Amino acid sequence: MTNNYMKKTPLYNAHVKLNAKMVSFHDYEMPLQYDSIINEHHSVRKAAGLFDISHMGRVEISGDRALSFIQHIITNDVARLANNQALYTPLCNEHGGIIDDILVYRCSENRFMLVINCSNVKKDIHWLRNQSFNYQPMEIKDFTDCISLIALQGPLSTRVLKATFNRTFDSLKRYSFTDYHWNDTQIVISRTGYTGEDGFELFVHVKQVEKLWNLFLEKNVQNGLKPIGLGARDTLRLEAGLLLYGNDMDETITPLETTIGWTVKLDKGDFIGKDALVQQKAKGIERKLVGFEMIDRAIPRHSYPVLKGNEVIGKVTSGSFSPSTNKNIGLCLIQSPHATIGAEIYIQIRDNNYVARIVSIPFYCCIKT
Amino acid sequence: MNIPDELFYTKTHEWVRRINQKEIMVGITDFAQQQLKDIVFVELPKLGKELKMGAPCAVIESVKAAYDIYSPLSGKVTLTNKAILEKPQLVNEDPYGVGWLVQLEFSNPDEFENLLNPGQYRVACESEAAH
């Protein structure tokens, strides 16, 4: 249930007009679904969908030493980015535990935009400020309440952008972004997303976002563009094998134990958590996050125990019915010796054990850009 | 909201149809299926299972989450709806018809007094929808 203390995104009224079922998601009232989660899911896979993701945090970091500061706090290598490129990275603590997983946008030599998880905004900003003492002068500005974020995802995304703005963004490469002047305001268009589909994310001033949202939907009826809620956002990201903070990752889990070990660049110089991660790698990684699909008929959910024989070997971190594969799928964090593709495991659901098989991820992916 | 006149109801959104002197048929209401939306999985009890009134007797899962379904009366399971195991969406499409869940042989007719009539159930739904 929602209440008066919940935050609303600038698109709240637009969601209500579209008859969205609203739910509380961390501090925000967000649309869970407008129609059916399954229909919304298929719209994104087959045509295109529009998401309000203004609940995500946006933080700008600038200063003469902003680049070295970012390098210090993330595990991936931001020095590899040219201006107007973005990368995905975890933010780790000294033990290598994941504080958050974020996108870093390089706006200029020493100015960066971070997109962070809604649930972690306060924690991250506090962490960033505490780590920045040796990098002054440094500005860390929270833009969450003045810049909105919407996502356009699906195979027809480029066509939808063209119908909306009367120009193409086809040449924008994946994980690149560009400024665009629209309706007397500057928006940022980034070729990124969280669905396993081609698509874009747009940063728009809060005062303009409802106008842009409506324009998208008005101009793209023929392209089949639909508003999409958090329900389908979750099934889409899970099928694409993308992790969700708080479910698949937290501060007790390191990137090396998950599927995002590739974001740890041990050769880039020093960063927070590096020593712990080097040690963990040398000792051998004891747990591993893997994908599985149910063989027995049952739906796995977060926190259900995973067994091999009678022994508990880990737990489910995410699970759902998968509309695109018509299977029940999940991710689980289990003891490494059991984490081999093809191996059979049991998922314990309401005191019964159901057979599942470890499979490679993504479960479904179709980015062709 | 469809609330057929000839049925009994529970606050937890099950409906009850008395099919003969000994047995009832149980399902979830139209209000419940609308709240759950996309039903993608149903788990039903074993035949012969003895259930107490108010005890979990089935599980229905939407894309988002799993929900317990409670036995409206005490009794023994005499029949379950196999069709919805293969096609859970039948519960969305026809909750009072082909989307029924279980049949029970009830053990205590006095428990019918605990069930809601259609008017009482409508009030319960309206107050829930207002929250």
Side-chain angles (χ1 to χ4, degrees), chain B residues 4-5 7 9-10 14 22 29 47 60-61 63 65 72 96 100 103-104 107-109 115 121:
Chain B
D5 283 339
L7 304 180
Y9 298 90
T10 67
E14 291 85 15
K22 292 192 305 192
T29 65
L47 292 183
I60 288 188
E61 299 201 34
V63 178
Y96 299 113
W100 64 279
Q103 277 186 28
L104 298 180
S107 52
N108 181 0
L115 300 177
Y121 180 62

Side-chain angles (χ1 to χ4, degrees), chain A residues 137-318:
Chain A
M138 169 90 59
E139 247 195 313
I140 299 175
K141 274 196 268 182
D142 180 1
F143 276 100
T144 308
D145 291 335
C146 51
I147 307 286
S148 282
L149 191 53
I150 57 180
L152 165 66
Q153 302 279 295
L156 300 189
S157 292
T158 50
R159 212 187 288 179
V160 168
L161 271 194
K162 185 166 188 234
T164 308
F165 295 126
N166 290 318
R167 62 154 282 185
T168 69
F169 292 85
D170 298 17
S171 60
L172 194 62
K173 292 204 170 69
R174 195 116 184 108
Y175 282 90
S176 294
F177 61 98
T178 182
D179 290 336
Y180 179 61
H181 200 71
W182 172 77
N183 201 36
D184 292 329
T185 178
Q186 199 75 8
I187 62 179
V188 173
I189 302 180
S190 155
R191 199 158 198 169
T192 45
Y194 190 52
T195 60
E197 297 291 334
D198 185 18
F200 300 86
E201 292 173 311
L202 296 92
F203 299 76
V204 195
H205 194 278
V206 287
K207 290 195 172 132
Q208 302 282 348
V209 69
E210 190 170 358
K211 195 169 187 174
L212 181 59
W213 174 272
N214 290 333
L215 184 71
F216 264 118
L217 294 176
E218 282 158 24
K219 295 262 185 183
N220 289 284
V221 176
Q222 279 173 341
N223 284 325
L225 180 69
K226 293 276 160 56
I228 311 295
L230 291 182
R233 184 168 162 83
D234 192 47
T235 54
L236 289 158
R237 71 91 194 167
L238 180 59
E239 285 182 353
L242 301 168
L243 308 188
L244 173 62
Y245 194 86
N247 276 39
D248 310 308
M249 294 172 281
D250 60 38
E251 292 190 27
T252 68
I253 300 171
T254 79
L256 299 178
E257 294 170 317
T258 70
T259 54
I260 57 167
W262 60 273
T263 60
V264 178
K265 304 292 192 323
L266 294 173
D267 57 354
K268 74 161 184 172
D270 208 18
F271 60 87
I272 300 173
K274 183 178 176 180
D275 292 347
L277 293 169
V278 168
Q279 263 184 37
Q280 187 182 36
K281 206 167 185 175
K283 263 176 58 186
I285 293 151
E286 289 174 8
R287 302 181 298 178
K288 199 70 199 149
L289 190 78
V290 290
F292 66 91
E293 60 182 43
M294 297 303 300
I295 295 172
D296 286 341
R297 218 179 47 85
I299 303 180
R301 304 281 184 191
H302 177 71
S303 83
Y304 287 178
V306 179
L307 293 88
K308 186 84 190 179
N310 293 323
E311 185 199 356
V312 175
I313 57 167
K315 61 179 185 177
V316 175
T317 58
S318 284

Side-chain angles (χ1 to χ4, degrees), chain A residues 32-51 153-155 197 223-233 235-236 239 321-324, chain B residues 36-40 62-64 89 92-93:
Chain A
L32 175 67
Q33 60 200 99
Y34 302 85
D35 165 25
S36 109
I37 292 177
I38 294 177
N39 291 348
E40 289 172 27
H41 180 106
H42 290 313
S43 289
V44 175
R45 291 272 182 253
K46 289 174 186 153
L50 196 61
F51 303 70
Q153 302 279 295
E197 297 291 334
N223 284 325
L225 180 69
K226 293 276 160 56
I228 311 295
L230 291 182
R233 184 168 162 83
T235 54
L236 289 158
E239 285 182 353
F321 169 70
S322 154
S324 297
Chain B
L36 295 175
K37 298 208 162 88
D38 308 299
I39 293 170
V40 292
S62 70
V63 178
K64 274 312 280 178
Q89 67 270 29
N92 286 122
E93 289 164 11

Side-chain angles (χ1 to χ4, degrees), chain B residues 49-93:
Chain B
K49 185 169 182 183
E50 296 277 355
L51 295 164
K52 284 238 159 41
M53 184 176 71
C57 71
V59 176
I60 288 188
E61 299 201 34
S62 70
V63 178
K64 274 312 280 178
Y67 303 89
D68 282 326
I69 307 303
Y70 302 98
S71 185
L73 299 175
S74 304
K76 190 169 74 178
V77 178
T78 55
L79 200 60
T80 60
N81 184 1
K82 298 276 189 305
I84 57 173
L85 297 178
E86 293 307 317
K87 289 184 79 180
Q89 67 270 29
L90 291 177
V91 182
N92 286 122
E93 289 164 11

